[in-house]
Amino acid sequence: QHSRSNVLLRNSLDDQTARFSAPQPTRTETQLSALNKNSTESHIIVEKDLLAVDFFGIILGSQLIGLLDVLNDSNFWAQGGFNQPIPAVPTTLGTFVQRTSIVMISWILGNLLTEGFSRVALPNDRSAFAEQLLKGSLAFVVMRYATAGAIFFTTGANIDALEIVRECYFTVILVGTLRYIYGVYIN
């Protein structure tokens, strides 16, 4: 009788510990962890150098757009053109910072959605590079208009569609060119 109650007590304890023990991983979780251990692309941004290249291209594009704005302003030429003094703080600094920030956020989000920072984004295979650049650029344009819409709905600021087109045009051309040069350089 005594040994029988010990066996029942032991079985009861085994059932209770089984309920409170950690759940066993499912087959899918096991496969995913094995994939992540074997994969070199388990991170979202594989080619971190592309971020630096993209930032440089976006800053360069924002500077060029700012230069075009200044050159197209009639007051620039009326006040002496390139002979006028340069102030300590340029009047276009605020616009430059705002433009660069919004374009960088849109570019990063668009390329994260399309895996634009993977190894495919480098020009090892030109057709894959062009396809990835096109996907990333289209996602960037969509994200840029989405950020403009978000800014409009939160602040009520006007949306200048021509300005957004210029930002997208300069960004895609400059960043695409710099990515290509970077990819050729490292290979």
Side-chain angles (χ1 to χ4, degrees), residues 52-123:
V53 170
D54 292 352
F55 284 170
F56 180 69
I58 290 168
I59 289 171
L60 186 63
S62 294
Q63 285 283 25
L64 287 175
I65 293 172
L67 178 65
L68 286 176
D69 288 343
V70 169
L71 292 177
N72 288 328
D73 187 12
S74 60
N75 291 333
F76 176 76
W77 297 108
Q79 294 172 355
F82 290 107
N83 293 328
Q84 57 185 311
I86 300 173
V89 178
T91 56
T92 58
L93 182 63
T95 306
F96 169 74
V97 170
Q98 181 183 9
R99 178 185 295 128
T100 304
S101 301
I102 292 171
V103 170
M104 280 188 187
I105 290 169
S106 301
W107 181 262
I108 290 171
L109 288 176
N111 277 281
L112 285 177
L113 291 174
T114 61
E115 298 178 3
F117 297 111
S118 65
R119 288 194 172 81
V120 178
L122 295 173

Coordinates of all heavy atoms in Angstrom, one line a residue, residues 52-123:
A52 N 26.2 54.4 -45.3 CA 27.0 55.6 -45.4 C 27.0 56.2 -46.9 O 27.0 57.4 -47.1 CB 28.5 55.2 -45.0
V53 N 27.0 55.3 -47.8 CA 27.0 55.7 -49.2 C 25.7 56.4 -49.5 O 25.6 57.5 -50.1 CB 27.2 54.5 -50.2 CG1 26.9 54.8 -51.6 CG2 28.6 53.9 -50.0
D54 N 24.6 55.8 -49.0 CA 23.3 56.4 -49.2 C 23.2 57.8 -48.5 O 22.6 58.8 -49.1 CB 22.2 55.5 -48.7 CG 22.0 54.3 -49.5 OD1 22.7 54.2 -50.6 OD2 21.3 53.4 -49.1
F55 N 23.7 57.9 -47.3 CA 23.6 59.2 -46.6 C 24.4 60.3 -47.4 O 23.9 61.4 -47.5 CB 24.2 59.1 -45.2 CG 23.3 58.4 -44.2 CD1 23.8 58.0 -43.0 CD2 22.0 58.1 -44.5 CE1 22.9 57.4 -42.0 CE2 21.1 57.5 -43.6 CZ 21.6 57.2 -42.3
F56 N 25.6 59.9 -47.9 CA 26.3 60.8 -48.7 C 25.6 61.3 -49.9 O 25.6 62.5 -50.2 CB 27.7 60.2 -49.0 CG 28.6 61.1 -49.8 CD1 29.1 62.2 -49.3 CD2 28.8 60.8 -51.2 CE1 29.9 63.1 -50.0 CE2 29.6 61.7 -51.9 CZ 30.2 62.8 -51.4
G57 N 24.9 60.3 -50.6 CA 24.2 60.7 -51.8 C 23.0 61.6 -51.5 O 22.7 62.5 -52.2
I58 N 22.3 61.3 -50.4 CA 21.2 62.1 -50.0 C 21.6 63.5 -49.6 O 21.0 64.5 -50.0 CB 20.4 61.4 -48.8 CG1 19.7 60.2 -49.4 CG2 19.4 62.4 -48.2 CD1 19.1 59.2 -48.3
I59 N 22.7 63.6 -48.8 CA 23.2 65.0 -48.5 C 23.6 65.7 -49.7 O 23.3 66.9 -49.9 CB 24.3 64.8 -47.5 CG1 23.8 64.4 -46.1 CG2 25.1 66.1 -47.3 CD1 24.8 64.0 -45.1
L60 N 24.3 65.0 -50.6 CA 24.7 65.7 -51.9 C 23.5 66.1 -52.7 O 23.5 67.3 -53.2 CB 25.6 64.7 -52.7 CG 26.2 65.2 -54.0 CD1 27.2 66.4 -53.6 CD2 27.0 64.1 -54.7
G61 N 22.5 65.3 -52.8 CA 21.3 65.7 -53.5 C 20.6 66.9 -52.9 O 20.1 67.8 -53.6
S62 N 20.5 66.9 -51.5 CA 19.8 68.0 -50.9 C 20.6 69.3 -51.1 O 20.0 70.4 -51.2 CB 19.7 67.7 -49.4 OG 18.9 66.6 -49.1
Q63 N 21.9 69.2 -51.1 CA 22.8 70.4 -51.4 C 22.5 70.9 -52.8 O 22.5 72.1 -53.0 CB 24.3 70.1 -51.2 CG 24.7 70.0 -49.7 CD 24.8 71.3 -49.1 OE1 24.2 72.3 -49.5 NE2 25.6 71.4 -48.0
L64 N 22.5 70.0 -53.7 CA 22.3 70.4 -55.1 C 20.9 71.0 -55.3 O 20.8 72.0 -56.1 CB 22.4 69.2 -56.1 CG 23.9 68.7 -56.3 CD1 23.9 67.5 -57.1 CD2 24.7 69.8 -56.9
I65 N 19.9 70.5 -54.7 CA 18.5 71.1 -54.8 C 18.6 72.5 -54.1 O 18.0 73.4 -54.7 CB 17.5 70.2 -54.1 CG1 17.3 68.9 -54.9 CG2 16.1 70.9 -54.0 CD1 16.4 67.9 -54.2
G66 N 19.2 72.6 -53.0 CA 19.4 73.9 -52.4 C 20.1 74.9 -53.3 O 19.8 76.1 -53.3
L67 N 21.2 74.5 -53.9 CA 21.9 75.3 -54.9 C 21.0 75.8 -56.0 O 21.1 76.9 -56.4 CB 23.2 74.6 -55.4 CG 24.0 75.4 -56.4 CD1 24.6 76.6 -55.7 CD2 25.1 74.5 -57.0
L68 N 20.2 74.9 -56.5 CA 19.3 75.2 -57.6 C 18.3 76.2 -57.2 O 17.9 77.2 -57.9 CB 18.6 74.0 -58.2 CG 19.5 73.1 -59.1 CD1 18.7 71.9 -59.5 CD2 20.0 73.8 -60.3
D69 N 17.8 76.1 -55.9 CA 16.8 77.0 -55.4 C 17.5 78.4 -55.3 O 16.8 79.4 -55.6 CB 16.4 76.6 -54.0 CG 15.4 75.4 -54.1 OD1 14.9 75.1 -55.2 OD2 15.3 74.7 -53.0
V70 N 18.7 78.5 -54.8 CA 19.4 79.8 -54.7 C 19.7 80.4 -56.0 O 19.4 81.6 -56.3 CB 20.7 79.6 -53.9 CG1 21.5 80.9 -53.9 CG2 20.4 79.3 -52.4
L71 N 20.1 79.6 -57.0 CA 20.4 80.1 -58.3 C 19.2 80.6 -59.1 O 19.3 81.5 -59.9 CB 21.2 79.1 -59.1 CG 22.6 78.8 -58.7 CD1 23.2 77.7 -59.5 CD2 23.5 80.0 -58.7
N72 N 18.1 80.0 -58.8 CA 16.8 80.3 -59.5 C 16.1 81.5 -58.8 O 15.1 82.0 -59.4 CB 15.9 79.2 -59.6 CG 16.4 78.1 -60.6 OD1 17.0 78.5 -61.6 ND2 16.1 76.9 -60.4
D73 N 16.6 81.9 -57.7 CA 16.0 83.1 -57.0 C 16.4 84.3 -57.6 O 17.6 84.6 -57.8 CB 16.4 83.0 -55.5 CG 15.7 84.1 -54.7 OD1 14.7 84.7 -55.2 OD2 16.1 84.3 -53.5
S74 N 15.5 85.2 -58.0 CA 15.9 86.5 -58.7 C 16.7 87.4 -57.8 O 17.5 88.2 -58.3 CB 14.6 87.2 -59.2 OG 13.7 87.5 -58.1
N75 N 16.4 87.3 -56.5 CA 17.2 88.2 -55.6 C 18.7 87.8 -55.5 O 19.5 88.7 -55.2 CB 16.6 88.1 -54.2 CG 15.2 88.8 -54.1 OD1 14.9 89.7 -54.9 ND2 14.4 88.3 -53.2
F76 N 19.0 86.6 -55.8 CA 20.4 86.2 -55.8 C 21.2 87.0 -56.8 O 22.3 87.5 -56.5 CB 20.5 84.7 -56.0 CG 21.9 84.2 -56.1 CD1 22.7 84.0 -55.0 CD2 22.5 83.8 -57.3 CE1 24.0 83.5 -55.1 CE2 23.8 83.4 -57.4 CZ 24.5 83.2 -56.3
W77 N 20.7 87.0 -58.0 CA 21.4 87.8 -59.0 C 21.4 89.3 -58.9 O 22.3 90.0 -59.2 CB 20.9 87.4 -60.4 CG 21.2 85.9 -60.7 CD1 20.2 84.9 -60.7 CD2 22.4 85.3 -60.9 NE1 20.8 83.7 -60.9 CE2 22.2 83.9 -61.0 CE3 23.7 85.7 -60.9 CZ2 23.2 82.9 -61.2 CZ3 24.7 84.8 -61.2 CH2 24.4 83.4 -61.3
A78 N 20.3 89.8 -58.3 CA 20.1 91.2 -58.1 C 21.0 91.7 -57.0 O 21.5 92.8 -57.0 CB 18.7 91.5 -57.7
Q79 N 21.4 90.8 -56.0 CA 22.3 91.2 -54.9 C 23.7 90.9 -55.2 O 24.5 90.9 -54.3 CB 21.8 90.5 -53.7 CG 20.4 90.9 -53.2 CD 19.9 90.1 -52.0 OE1 20.5 89.1 -51.6 NE2 18.8 90.5 -51.5
G80 N 24.1 90.6 -56.4 CA 25.5 90.4 -56.8 C 25.9 89.0 -57.1 O 27.1 88.8 -57.4
G81 N 25.0 88.1 -57.1 CA 25.3 86.7 -57.5 C 26.3 86.1 -56.6 O 26.2 86.1 -55.4
F82 N 27.4 85.6 -57.2 CA 28.4 84.9 -56.5 C 29.4 85.8 -55.7 O 30.2 85.4 -55.0 CB 29.2 84.0 -57.4 CG 28.4 82.8 -57.9 CD1 28.0 82.7 -59.2 CD2 28.1 81.7 -57.0 CE1 27.3 81.6 -59.6 CE2 27.4 80.6 -57.4 CZ 27.0 80.6 -58.7
N83 N 29.2 87.1 -56.0 CA 30.1 88.1 -55.3 C 29.6 88.6 -54.0 O 30.3 89.3 -53.3 CB 30.3 89.3 -56.2 CG 31.1 89.0 -57.5 OD1 32.0 88.1 -57.4 ND2 30.8 89.6 -58.6
Q84 N 28.4 88.2 -53.6 CA 27.8 88.7 -52.3 C 28.4 87.9 -51.2 O 28.9 86.8 -51.3 CB 26.3 88.5 -52.3 CG 25.8 87.1 -52.6 CD 24.3 87.1 -52.7 OE1 23.6 87.7 -51.8 NE2 23.7 86.5 -53.7
P85 N 28.5 88.5 -50.0 CA 29.1 87.8 -48.9 C 28.3 86.6 -48.4 O 27.1 86.6 -48.5 CB 29.2 88.9 -47.8 CG 28.2 89.9 -48.2 CD 28.0 89.8 -49.7
I86 N 29.0 85.7 -47.8 CA 28.4 84.5 -47.3 C 28.2 84.7 -45.8 O 29.1 84.9 -45.0 CB 29.2 83.2 -47.5 CG1 29.4 83.0 -49.0 CG2 28.6 82.0 -46.9 CD1 30.4 81.9 -49.4
P87 N 26.9 84.6 -45.3 CA 26.7 84.8 -43.9 C 27.2 83.6 -43.1 O 27.4 82.5 -43.6 CB 25.1 84.9 -43.8 CG 24.6 84.2 -45.0 CD 25.7 84.4 -46.1
A88 N 27.3 83.8 -41.7 CA 27.8 82.8 -40.8 C 26.8 81.6 -40.8 O 27.2 80.4 -40.8 CB 28.0 83.3 -39.5
V89 N 25.5 81.9 -40.8 CA 24.5 80.9 -40.8 C 23.7 81.1 -42.1 O 23.0 82.1 -42.2 CB 23.6 80.9 -39.6 CG1 22.5 79.9 -39.7 CG2 24.4 80.8 -38.3
P90 N 23.8 80.2 -43.1 CA 23.1 80.4 -44.3 C 21.6 80.4 -44.1 O 21.1 79.7 -43.2 CB 23.5 79.2 -45.2 CG 24.7 78.6 -44.5 CD 24.6 79.0 -43.1
T91 N 20.9 81.2 -44.9 CA 19.4 81.3 -44.7 C 18.7 80.0 -45.2 O 17.6 79.7 -44.8 CB 18.9 82.4 -45.6 OG1 19.3 82.3 -46.9 CG2 19.4 83.8 -45.0
T92 N 19.4 79.2 -45.9 CA 18.8 77.9 -46.4 C 19.1 76.7 -45.5 O 18.8 75.6 -45.9 CB 19.3 77.6 -47.9 OG1 20.7 77.5 -47.8 CG2 18.9 78.7 -48.8
L93 N 19.8 76.9 -44.4 CA 20.2 75.8 -43.5 C 19.0 75.0 -43.0 O 19.0 73.8 -43.0 CB 21.0 76.3 -42.4 CG 21.6 75.3 -41.4 CD1 22.5 74.3 -42.2 CD2 22.3 75.9 -40.2
G94 N 17.9 75.7 -42.6 CA 16.7 75.1 -42.0 C 16.1 74.2 -43.1 O 15.7 73.1 -42.8
T95 N 16.0 74.7 -44.3 CA 15.4 73.9 -45.4 C 16.2 72.7 -45.7 O 15.7 71.6 -45.9 CB 15.2 74.8 -46.6 OG1 14.5 76.0 -46.3 CG2 14.5 74.1 -47.7
F96 N 17.5 72.9 -45.7 CA 18.5 71.8 -46.0 C 18.3 70.7 -44.9 O 18.2 69.5 -45.3 CB 19.9 72.3 -46.0 CG 20.9 71.2 -46.0 CD1 21.1 70.4 -47.2 CD2 21.6 70.9 -44.9 CE1 22.1 69.4 -47.2 CE2 22.6 69.8 -44.9 CZ 22.8 69.1 -46.0
V97 N 18.3 71.0 -43.7 CA 18.2 70.0 -42.6 C 16.8 69.3 -42.7 O 16.8 68.1 -42.6 CB 18.4 70.7 -41.2 CG1 18.0 69.7 -40.1 CG2 19.8 71.2 -41.1
Q98 N 15.8 70.1 -42.9 CA 14.4 69.4 -43.0 C 14.4 68.5 -44.2 O 13.9 67.4 -44.1 CB 13.4 70.5 -43.1 CG 12.0 70.0 -43.2 CD 10.9 71.1 -43.3 OE1 11.3 72.2 -43.6 NE2 9.7 70.7 -43.2
R99 N 14.8 69.0 -45.3 CA 14.8 68.2 -46.6 C 15.6 66.9 -46.4 O 15.1 65.8 -46.7 CB 15.3 69.0 -47.8 CG 15.3 68.2 -49.0 CD 16.0 69.0 -50.2 NE 15.1 70.1 -50.5 CZ 15.6 71.4 -50.6 NH1 16.9 71.6 -50.3 NH2 14.8 72.4 -50.9
T100 N 16.8 67.0 -45.9 CA 17.7 65.9 -45.7 C 17.1 64.9 -44.7 O 17.1 63.7 -45.0 CB 19.1 66.3 -45.2 OG1 19.6 67.3 -46.1 CG2 20.0 65.2 -45.1
S101 N 16.6 65.3 -43.6 CA 16.0 64.4 -42.6 C 14.8 63.6 -43.2 O 14.7 62.4 -43.0 CB 15.5 65.2 -41.4 OG 16.6 65.9 -40.9
I102 N 13.9 64.3 -43.9 CA 12.7 63.6 -44.4 C 13.1 62.6 -45.5 O 12.6 61.5 -45.5 CB 11.7 64.6 -44.9 CG1 11.1 65.4 -43.7 CG2 10.6 64.0 -45.7 CD1 10.3 66.6 -44.1
V103 N 14.0 63.0 -46.4 CA 14.5 62.1 -47.4 C 15.2 60.9 -46.9 O 15.0 59.8 -47.3 CB 15.3 62.9 -48.5 CG1 16.0 61.9 -49.4 CG2 14.5 63.9 -49.2
M104 N 16.0 61.1 -45.8 CA 16.8 60.0 -45.2 C 15.8 59.0 -44.6 O 15.9 57.8 -44.8 CB 17.8 60.5 -44.2 CG 19.0 61.0 -44.8 SD 20.3 61.3 -43.5 CE 21.5 62.0 -44.5
I105 N 14.8 59.5 -43.9 CA 13.8 58.6 -43.2 C 13.1 57.8 -44.3 O 12.9 56.6 -44.2 CB 12.9 59.4 -42.3 CG1 13.6 59.9 -41.1 CG2 11.7 58.6 -41.9 CD1 12.9 60.9 -40.3
S106 N 12.6 58.5 -45.3 CA 11.9 57.8 -46.4 C 12.8 56.8 -47.1 O 12.3 55.7 -47.5 CB 11.4 58.9 -47.4 OG 10.5 59.8 -46.8
W107 N 14.0 57.2 -47.4 CA 14.9 56.3 -48.1 C 15.2 55.0 -47.3 O 15.1 53.9 -47.8 CB 16.2 57.0 -48.5 CG 17.1 56.1 -49.2 CD1 18.2 55.4 -48.7 CD2 17.1 55.8 -50.6 NE1 18.8 54.7 -49.7 CE2 18.1 54.9 -50.9 CE3 16.2 56.2 -51.7 CZ2 18.4 54.4 -52.2 CZ3 16.5 55.7 -52.9 CH2 17.5 54.8 -53.2
I108 N 15.5 55.2 -46.0 CA 15.8 54.0 -45.2 C 14.5 53.1 -45.0 O 14.6 51.9 -45.2 CB 16.3 54.5 -43.8 CG1 17.7 55.1 -44.0 CG2 16.3 53.3 -42.8 CD1 18.2 55.8 -42.7
L109 N 13.4 53.7 -44.8 CA 12.2 52.9 -44.7 C 11.8 52.2 -46.0 O 11.5 51.0 -46.0 CB 11.0 53.8 -44.3 CG 11.0 54.3 -42.8 CD1 9.8 55.2 -42.6 CD2 11.0 53.1 -41.8
G110 N 11.9 52.9 -47.1 CA 11.7 52.2 -48.4 C 12.6 51.1 -48.7 O 12.2 50.1 -49.2
N111 N 13.9 51.3 -48.3 CA 14.8 50.2 -48.6 C 14.8 49.1 -47.6 O 15.1 47.9 -47.9 CB 16.2 50.8 -48.7 CG 16.5 51.3 -50.1 OD1 16.8 50.6 -51.0 ND2 16.4 52.6 -50.2
L112 N 14.3 49.4 -46.4 CA 14.1 48.3 -45.4 C 13.0 47.4 -45.9 O 13.0 46.2 -45.7 CB 13.9 48.8 -44.0 CG 15.1 49.4 -43.3 CD1 14.7 49.9 -41.9 CD2 16.2 48.3 -43.1
L113 N 12.0 48.0 -46.5 CA 10.8 47.2 -46.9 C 11.2 46.3 -48.1 O 10.5 45.3 -48.3 CB 9.7 48.2 -47.3 CG 9.0 48.9 -46.2 CD1 8.0 49.9 -46.7 CD2 8.3 47.9 -45.3
T114 N 12.1 46.7 -48.9 CA 12.5 45.9 -50.1 C 13.8 45.3 -50.0 O 14.4 44.8 -51.0 CB 12.5 46.9 -51.3 OG1 13.5 47.9 -51.1 CG2 11.1 47.5 -51.6
E115 N 14.4 45.1 -48.8 CA 15.7 44.5 -48.6 C 16.8 45.2 -49.4 O 17.6 44.6 -50.0 CB 15.7 43.0 -48.9 CG 14.7 42.3 -48.0 CD 14.7 40.8 -48.3 OE1 15.4 40.3 -49.2 OE2 13.9 40.1 -47.7
G116 N 16.7 46.6 -49.4 CA 17.6 47.4 -50.2 C 19.0 47.5 -49.6 O 19.9 48.0 -50.3
F117 N 19.2 46.9 -48.4 CA 20.6 47.0 -47.9 C 21.2 45.6 -47.8 O 22.1 45.3 -47.0 CB 20.5 47.5 -46.4 CG 20.1 49.0 -46.4 CD1 18.9 49.3 -45.9 CD2 20.9 50.0 -46.9 CE1 18.4 50.6 -45.9 CE2 20.5 51.3 -46.9 CZ 19.3 51.6 -46.4
S118 N 20.7 44.7 -48.7 CA 21.2 43.3 -48.8 C 22.4 43.3 -49.8 O 22.6 44.3 -50.5 CB 20.1 42.3 -49.1 OG 19.7 42.6 -50.5
R119 N 22.9 42.2 -50.0 CA 24.0 42.0 -51.0 C 23.6 42.1 -52.4 O 24.3 42.4 -53.3 CB 24.8 40.7 -50.7 CG 25.6 40.8 -49.5 CD 26.6 39.6 -49.4 NE 27.5 39.9 -48.2 CZ 27.1 39.6 -47.0 NH1 26.0 39.1 -46.7 NH2 28.0 39.8 -46.0
V120 N 22.3 41.9 -52.6 CA 21.7 42.1 -54.0 C 21.8 43.5 -54.4 O 21.8 43.8 -55.6 CB 20.3 41.6 -54.0 CG1 19.6 41.7 -55.4 CG2 20.2 40.1 -53.6
A121 N 21.8 44.5 -53.5 CA 21.9 45.9 -53.8 C 23.2 46.3 -54.4 O 23.4 47.5 -54.8 CB 21.5 46.7 -52.6
L122 N 24.2 45.4 -54.4 CA 25.5 45.7 -55.0 C 25.5 45.2 -56.4 O 24.9 44.2 -56.7 CB 26.6 45.1 -54.1 CG 26.7 45.6 -52.7 CD1 27.7 44.8 -51.9 CD2 27.1 47.1 -52.7
P123 N 26.3 45.9 -57.3 CA 26.2 45.6 -58.7 C 27.0 44.4 -59.1 O 27.7 44.4 -60.2 CB 26.7 46.9 -59.4 CG 27.6 47.4 -58.4 CD 27.0 47.1 -57.1

